[in-house]
């Protein structure tokens, strides 16, 4: 439906600049957080290479509950502090994991996943969700990816909760 013409063969700065602009355009004026999470996960899935899962877990009653995503079916509920997602949500800190097999308590929803990037989504000073990205490649996520995805989430956080 939307064609943002984002090239994947470009520097991380340009890729994330374009992704952030597209994410703003997709969510601007739309108050439904689930719809916005659905489109943002589809946007990332379409334009960010080498992912096998991209989506959101929402904080519901102090637990993470599966939200809109792209990829294989996944674990539905994750306790705060558990796995990479639960750690990101409990600490409000990005988790960039080069090798998921070396992360204590990693939850293997998809056995193909080798590296992971989880960005907390905060609104009014509270973690309301996390963005979870998985890759079948070890060390897939760079410091630029961490900064870019953090900036993307900060730019649209008000549309996600
Ligand atoms: N690996 C995550 C669980 C979610 S799936 O990757 C979609 C974790 O350890 O929290």
């Amino acid at each position: 439906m939307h064609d943002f013409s984002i090239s994947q063969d470009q520097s991380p700065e340009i890729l994330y600049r374009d992704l952030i602009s597209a994410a703003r355009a997709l969510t601007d004026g739309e108050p439904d957080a689930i719809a916005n999470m659905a489109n943002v996960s589809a946007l990332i899935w379409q334009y960010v290479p080498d992912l096998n899962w991209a989506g959101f877990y929402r904080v519901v009653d102090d637990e993470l509950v599966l939200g809109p995503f792209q990829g294989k079916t996944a674990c539905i509920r994750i306790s705060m502090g558990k796995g990479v997602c639960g750690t990101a949500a409990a600490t409000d800190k990005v988790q960039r994991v080069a090798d998921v097999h070396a992360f204590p308590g990693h939850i293997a929803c998809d056995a193909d996943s080798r590296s992971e990037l989880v960005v907390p989504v905060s609104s009014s000073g509270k973690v309301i969700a996390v963005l979870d990205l998985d890759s079948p490649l070890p060390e897939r996520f760079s410091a630029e990816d961490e900064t870019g995805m953090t900036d993307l989430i900060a730019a649209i956080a008000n549309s996600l909760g």
Side-chain angles (χ1 to χ4, degrees):
M1 175 183 170
H2 303 93
D3 180 10
F4 293 108
S5 303
I6 299 172
S7 164
Q8 294 161 334
D9 301 324
Q10 51 191 356
S11 68
E13 289 80 10
I14 303 295
L15 173 64
Y16 284 105
R17 183 199 67 190
D18 290 352
L19 272 181
I20 289 168
S21 159
R24 280 191 204 275
L26 277 171
T27 57
D28 188 39
E30 174 49 62
D32 192 285
I34 302 287
N36 289 332
M37 288 180 181
N39 258 343
V40 171
S41 59
L43 179 76
I44 292 171
W45 184 254
Q46 184 173 356
Y47 292 110
V48 178
D50 299 322
L51 302 180
N52 62 327
W53 205 89
F56 292 87
Y57 280 87
R58 296 180 303 131
V59 177
V60 180
D61 295 335
D62 207 33
E63 188 177 37
L64 290 175
V65 179
L66 183 63
F69 70 95
Q70 304 278 314
K72 289 185 184 172
T73 58
C75 328
I76 297 172
R77 291 175 185 273
I78 298 174
S79 299
M80 282 292 179
K82 298 291 182 194
V84 185
C85 291
T87 300
T91 60
D92 196 4
K93 287 196 164 48
V94 175
Q95 302 295 308
R96 182 160 60 95
V97 180
D99 173 6
V100 295
H101 296 146
F103 188 96
H106 167 253
I107 300 164
C109 292
D110 182 343
D112 287 341
S113 296
R114 295 296 310 279
S115 58
E116 187 159 355
L117 178 65
V118 183
V119 179
V121 182
S122 293
S123 181
S124 305
K126 275 176 38 182
V127 178
I128 56 163
V130 297
L131 170 68
D132 181 21
L133 305 175
D134 286 38
S135 174
L137 306 180
E139 300 180 55
R140 158 66 185 80
F141 301 103
S142 64
E144 285 96 341
D145 290 311
E146 178 176 337
T147 303
M149 288 296 174
T150 300
D151 290 349
L152 187 155
I153 288 300
I156 59 163
N158 289 343
S159 304
L160 303 178

